[in-house]
Amino acid sequence: MSSMQLSSLQRSALLLLALLCGALTPAGGLSFSYPTFRDNIDEKDFIKSEYSRIYFSAIQITPDLSNVASIVNQSGRFLYKKPFKLWGKGKGGVRSRALFNSTFVLNITPKTDPGGEGLAFILTGSPTLPEKSQGEWLGIVNASSNGSAQANIVAVEFDTKKSYLEDVDDNHVGLDVNSVYSIQQVPLLSYGVTLSSQMNYTVTIRYDSQNITIFVSQTNETREEMKNIPVLSRTLDLSEYLSQKVYVGFSASTSNSTQLNCIRSWDFHSSHIDENSNLLWVWITVPAVVVFVTGVSVYLFWTRQDEEEDAHLQIDEEIQTNSTAPKKFKLKELQRATGRFNPKNKLGKGGFGTVYKGLLGNKEIAVKRVSKDSHQGKQEFIAEVTTIGSLRHKNLVKLIGWCYERHELLIVYEFMPNGSLDRFVFWDDKLGMEKEEPTLSWERRHSIILGVAQALDYLHNGCEKRVLHRDIKASNIMLDSDFIARLGDFGLARTIQQSGLTHHSTKEIAGTPGYMAPETFLTGRATVETDVYAFGVLVLEVVCGRRPSNQNEQNNYNNSIVYWLWDLYSRGRILDAVDSRLDGDIDEDDMACVLVLGLSCCHPNPHLRPSMRTVLKVLTREADPPALPTERPAFVWPAMPPSFKEDTEFDLAGGQITPFTDLTGR
Ligand SMILES: *[C@@H]1O[C@H](CO)[C@@H](O)[C@H](O)[C@H]1NC(C)=O
Ligand SMILES: *[C@@H]1O[C@H](CO)[C@@H](O)[C@H](O)[C@H]1NC(C)=O
Ligand SMILES: *[C@@H]1O[C@H](CO)[C@@H](O)[C@H](O)[C@H]1NC(C)=O
Ligand SMILES: *[C@@H]1O[C@H](CO)[C@@H](O)[C@H](O)[C@H]1NC(C)=O
Ligand SMILES: *[C@@H]1O[C@H](CO)[C@@H](O)[C@H](O)[C@H]1NC(C)=O
Ligand SMILES: *[C@@H]1O[C@H](CO)[C@@H](O)[C@H](O)[C@H]1NC(C)=O
Ligand SMILES: *[C@@H]1O[C@H](CO)[C@@H](O)[C@H](O)[C@H]1NC(C)=O
Ligand SMILES: *[C@@H]1O[C@H](CO)[C@@H](O)[C@H](O)[C@H]1NC(C)=O
């Protein structure tokens, strides 16, 4: 261990010292200024809800994605990461209150006519976005916290939809205290402001410890007199409703009516407050701590620490400093939860390790115990836990936490009561199955396919960094209690497995035979198109109830579900392939459409496979499946590029999110 690194003991001592010194000075104000927001750089300064992001130099409080389904019924919060001291107990028990100023530029782009619902500037003691705060709740409160002091929130709302009788109109500013019902609201039209006009508006909010005053004007406004007309001013003792330390930032929401809720620039300044404290004890304690810290440092300088501890600390740090990080568990907790990894609690086994069922409190969890492999695995482990940990989607298995202790790498997921999809779909191997699972109806199968497609579209197009799953297959699709498909195990299997190898040869390609695109064997690379291929195979097996490859299969199966199906397709008999257990539960048109879609995802030429975005459109019947040649084309490498671009979304080079608006638009 290098002498530069501090032990946790030293750290605590230094922290204590810092705190003590802090007590000597008045509580400092908070001050920051963002003339613009830098994508991928500034996000770390904020506490944000799952889908809030910085895109195109602006805070997008609710998502700005071209996938319409992902902007409906959303709410979000975006708060500065450090709270500020709003009030404190001053001399003689009299409260002292901070003053503050904040100026920001908001821009609202409606996506439906009319748009909805609105955004708000908020001060709150509880930074977490309340569940079900979308729609009329503006991300401020939800049905249970509305009107309760526990909400601990004061908001200045910019409402673009009249959601209640009490709302004056669909273009007003309102002052909200622990509720979405405003104690005062002012229509903005007479101030020349139409919030949802896509114009930039500059808002200033001033609090002088007694009155809160709000100014709104067009950002290009040059006339001073127009900028200085207060739209709303009201006497309000914030210390009555809010905790001493509060977070400052924004919330917003959409409903069936949608809009993009952006903040383009923001500055904030609060004054320090004078606090009463008896400082005598500080004068006695500080020197003692200084002596102690020095002593410990000298001692440690001469002592070598266990390298194990050191590596351990780094893993903790790298994962924990990520704000959206999953929880870190103690080995003991997880041992208790799983009955010391009792074989009775075993749920399954993969190449990477074993999965156990566990109970944390009364919450069921699944704990993956990664096979012991200390050397190369750690970096990948960190990368995986932080990437997966920051992904949130209703069709992804949620990562709850992790543990790294005494060479144990453990990953905690939410428990999926219905296990994995493979238990339900394959009729051709009931062997080894403890009990016969019920047949999934066509409706359920369709919704499972749609769910996986949404998850994959999110990974490919909807999240900050593109994620390739690399191992789509039935056993990696979990089913929750409502049989909603949840994609699990992404990337991890491959990462951990690879670390166990002594050499990295191209033969050790990640993935599962039968689901791997033909080009994988030549390039050895995972791409968006190889994920689409595996998804295609999954679609075929879910509709047909057969494994992707099975040597025992008769009827020209040729050890490949793709060959077999394409053969049936060229003979115009594609519906023969449908799982016979679906008798009587048949929507032939829909099934044929899904099968053709599945086959087109398995096109030998990767350039001719549809994107997940197109797949989604076909599944929701907004588009027809891509045209498919009757004969299965031979696999040719290098693949021919598409001769012409029919579909602008056939953008294979573009790896980025496709936002609604282009760069110049905003
Ligand atoms: C959005 O919420 C509304 C009201 O709760 C509901 O009627 C609607 O179905 C939801 N839309 C979607 C796409 O979830
Ligand atoms: C707020 O802004 C006003 C006017 O610019 C200024 O006088 C005041 O000092 C500011 N207050 C704080 C706390 O920064
Ligand atoms: C409101 O939010 C809280 C905190 O997220 C949550 O516990 C509660 O269930 C939510 N209430 C409703 C009605 O959704
Ligand atoms: C929200 O809370 C306010 C009190 O602040 C109350 O008047 C109103 O009825 C509540 N609204 C709903 C929908 O519960
Ligand atoms: C709003 O501001 C942005 C950046 O400051 C600018 O690019 C855009 O043109 C402005 N929009 C309008 C409608 O003025
Ligand atoms: C706050 O507003 C009230 C009423 O408008 C006014 O009398 C008072 O002077 C204001 N306080 C400050 C500090 O400006
Ligand atoms: C600001 O820009 C809008 C739209 O471009 C225009 O209609 C308005 O007159 C401008 N205002 C000023 C004060 O220049
Ligand atoms: C929202 O849209 C869904 C379907 O698109 C519809 O069923 C629902 O009634 C709508 N809800 C509201 C509150 O408008």
Side-chain angles (χ1 to χ4, degrees):
M1 146 158 179
S2 103
S3 56
M4 296 306 289
Q5 279 168 327
L6 300 176
S7 74
S8 48
L9 187 62
Q10 275 172 305
R11 253 186 257 233
S12 335
L14 281 175
L15 189 66
L16 187 58
L17 184 62
L19 284 175
L20 288 171
C21 292
L24 288 171
T25 50
L30 176 67
S31 192
F32 56 82
S33 172
Y34 293 88
T36 179
F37 294 93
R38 295 167 299 169
D39 299 18
N40 304 323
I41 297 174
D42 289 332
E43 241 172 50
K44 63 174 190 328
D45 299 349
F46 300 91
I47 300 171
K48 58 186 192 58
S49 52
E50 290 168 22
Y51 302 115
S52 307
R53 294 273 185 276
I54 291 175
Y55 291 145
F56 298 103
S57 311
I59 295 175
Q60 313 285 341
I61 312 169
T62 50
D64 173 5
L65 295 173
S66 48
N67 180 357
V68 175
S70 59
I71 69 169
V72 171
N73 286 350
Q74 295 284 341
S75 62
R77 279 190 181 182
F78 214 98
L79 303 165
Y80 191 68
K81 70 178 173 196
K82 287 194 203 125
F84 75 99
K85 189 94 185 201
L86 179 69
W87 61 276
K89 297 225 168 59
K91 292 196 176 64
V94 179
R95 283 183 183 180
S96 53
R97 302 175 183 85
L99 326 172
F100 63 79
N101 270 344
S102 186
T103 298
F104 54 91
V105 170
L106 67 81
N107 182 295
I108 292 174
T109 307
K111 285 291 152 193
T112 49
D113 188 17
E117 293 272 339
L119 71 78
F121 171 85
I122 59 174
L123 297 167
T124 180
S126 41
T128 330
L129 178 73
E131 284 164 31
K132 304 224 169 77
S133 57
Q134 69 268 41
E136 72 252 42
W137 304 107
L138 300 180
I140 299 175
V141 287
N142 65 16
S144 36
S145 60
N146 176 49
S148 107
Q150 270 87 52
N152 197 349
I153 189 164
V154 169
V156 175
E157 62 165 50
F158 296 87
D159 202 337
T160 56
K161 188 157 184 259
K162 184 167 160 58
S163 335
Y164 306 98
L165 280 175
E166 286 80 356
D167 276 353
V168 277
D169 64 4
D170 57 1
N171 182 41
H172 64 266
V173 60
L175 189 58
D176 304 348
V177 177
N178 289 331
S179 161
V180 273
Y181 280 31
S182 309
I183 55 173
Q184 188 172 340
Q185 41 181 323
V186 178
L188 287 170
L189 196 61
S190 58
Y191 293 90
V193 173
T194 305
L195 290 170
S196 45
S197 63
Q198 302 188 43
M199 291 286 297
N200 299 324
Y201 289 104
T202 300
V203 177
T204 298
I205 294 173
R206 203 171 283 166
Y207 185 61
D208 59 9
S209 83
Q210 286 189 357
N211 297 338
I212 187 163
T213 309
I214 299 146
F215 302 84
V216 187
S217 62
Q218 272 184 16
T219 299
N220 63 353
E221 182 58 69
T222 46
R223 294 162 292 173
E224 280 304 314
E225 69 278 14
M226 293 300 288
K227 287 198 242 180
N228 295 324
I229 303 173
V231 168
L232 189 161
S233 183
R234 171 145 184 145
T235 307
L236 188 68
D237 183 356
L238 293 176
S239 75
E240 266 184 45
Y241 308 104
L242 294 170
S243 35
Q244 297 195 17
K245 278 193 165 181
V246 293
Y247 293 88
V248 61
F250 303 93
S251 72
S253 71
T254 61
S255 57
N256 271 8
S257 310
T258 58
Q259 66 190 20
L260 308 181
N261 295 295
C262 308
I263 302 294
R264 290 184 184 285
S265 66
W266 182 25
D267 62 50
F268 178 88
H269 310 280
S270 72
S271 64
H272 67 75
I273 55 177
D274 295 321
E275 281 198 278
N276 183 32
S277 49
N278 183 348
L279 298 180
L280 185 61
W281 62 277
V282 173
W283 293 118
I284 299 168
T285 331
V286 169
V289 174
V290 171
V291 170
F292 177 72
V293 171
T294 319
V296 169
S297 312
V298 169
Y299 172 78
L300 285 173
F301 187 80
W302 297 109
T303 325
R304 284 183 61 84
Q305 261 230 334
D306 187 8
E307 288 191 11
E308 187 63 32
E309 275 299 305
D310 193 26
H312 188 149
L313 238 138
Q314 282 173 11
I315 290 193
D316 280 13
E317 252 176 26
E318 287 186 46
I319 294 179
Q320 294 287 287
T321 49
N322 184 318
S323 65
T324 49
K327 181 175 180 306
K328 183 189 168 201
F329 287 96
K330 288 225 158 57
L331 181 56
K332 262 195 202 147
E333 286 176 90
L334 297 182
Q335 279 173 337
R336 207 177 310 127
T338 57
R340 306 202 141 263
F341 303 108
N342 191 329
K344 273 194 209 146
N345 291 332
K346 208 160 117 175
L347 291 171
K349 196 167 160 47
F352 46 81
T354 310
V355 183
Y356 296 86
K357 183 174 173 179
L359 209 56
L360 266 184
N362 52 11
K363 189 175 178 190
E364 291 177 311
I365 53 170
V367 181
K368 185 186 292 172
R369 190 186 198 186
V370 178
S371 6
K372 298 194 180 175
D373 199 334
S374 56
H375 277 306
Q376 284 163 300
K378 282 176 197 154
Q379 209 48 50
E380 285 94 335
F381 177 77
I382 293 168
E384 294 296 340
V385 172
T386 50
T387 334
I388 303 170
S390 66
L391 298 175
R392 295 281 186 279
H393 190 276
K394 65 183 183 354
N395 297 111
L396 293 180
V397 174
K398 194 162 148 199
L399 185 89
I400 299 175
W402 60 283
C403 166
Y404 172 64
E405 238 177 88
R406 282 183 256 147
H407 292 291
E408 291 273 13
L409 293 174
L410 299 167
I411 304 183
V412 184
Y413 291 101
E414 57 183 331
F415 175 71
M416 293 287 127
N418 279 316
S420 56
L421 176 60
D422 56 337
R423 294 167 60 215
F424 293 90
V425 291
F426 302 128
W427 59 267
D428 52 342
D429 70 349
K430 284 285 171 200
L431 283 151
M433 216 159 258
E434 284 145 39
K435 58 176 189 236
E436 185 118 337
E437 301 296 346
T439 300
L440 297 176
S441 66
W442 169 241
E443 200 189 345
R444 239 173 211 170
R445 292 185 202 213
H446 190 276
S447 100
I448 287 168
I449 291 171
L450 183 62
V452 178
Q454 278 166 337
L456 209 47
D457 175 52
Y458 169 72
L459 295 179
H460 286 179
N461 308 310
C463 46
E464 208 173 351
K465 283 185 205 138
R466 175 169 279 181
V467 176
L468 299 176
H469 185 284
R470 300 189 180 101
D471 202 10
I472 308 282
K473 59 176 170 179
S475 57
N476 281 344
I477 311 296
M478 310 304 287
L479 299 174
D480 72 10
S481 51
D482 299 323
F483 283 89
I484 307 284
R486 307 280 212 99
L487 184 54
D489 262 0
F490 27 120
L492 196 59
R494 178 195 176 216
T495 310
I496 303 292
Q497 265 173 358
Q498 269 199 349
S499 66
L501 300 173
T502 46
H503 57 95
H504 295 260
S505 72
T506 45
K507 279 184 193 150
E508 297 293 342
I509 308 156
T512 305
Y515 295 88
M516 284 157 79
E519 73 271 17
T520 322
F521 299 95
L522 295 176
T523 63
R525 281 222 213 102
T527 59
V528 172
E529 294 78 37
T530 58
D531 266 1
V532 170
Y533 185 95
F535 171 79
V537 175
L538 179 83
V539 169
L540 302 184
E541 57 186 5
V542 170
V543 181
C544 305
R546 287 166 199 257
R547 292 206 172 268
S549 55
N550 186 346
Q551 267 136 17
N552 306 327
E553 191 66 63
Q554 308 292 312
N555 310 336
N556 308 326
Y557 200 78
N558 237 342
N559 204 18
S560 158
I561 196 168
V562 179
Y563 288 20
W564 174 67
L565 211 74
W566 213 309
D567 181 51
L568 285 174
Y569 171 71
S570 37
R571 291 189 281 131
R573 311 196 41 170
I574 197 166
L575 285 171
D576 289 5
V578 173
D579 191 338
S580 54
R581 291 171 302 171
L582 284 175
D583 264 358
D585 182 15
I586 297 270
D587 178 344
E588 294 195 347
D589 202 30
D590 224 18
M591 286 174 175
C593 166
V594 172
L595 281 172
V596 170
L597 175 68
L599 269 186
S600 70
C601 292
C602 296
H603 200 291
N605 182 343
H607 299 311
L608 296 178
R609 291 173 206 151
S611 69
M612 288 314 297
R613 182 87 3 126
T614 308
V615 167
L616 273 182
K617 281 196 188 146
V618 176
L619 287 173
T620 53
R621 300 307 288 264
E622 284 166 65
D624 288 329
L628 201 63
T630 329
E631 292 295 325
R632 195 179 70 87
F635 172 64
V636 178
W637 197 256
M640 296 290 285
S643 49
F644 58 91
K645 275 197 157 184
E646 290 175 324
D647 178 354
T648 45
E649 278 179 278
F650 235 114
D651 182 9
L652 294 154
Q656 296 307 307
I657 299 155
T658 333
F660 266 120
T661 28
D662 59 21
L663 268 164
T664 52
R666 290 180 295 134

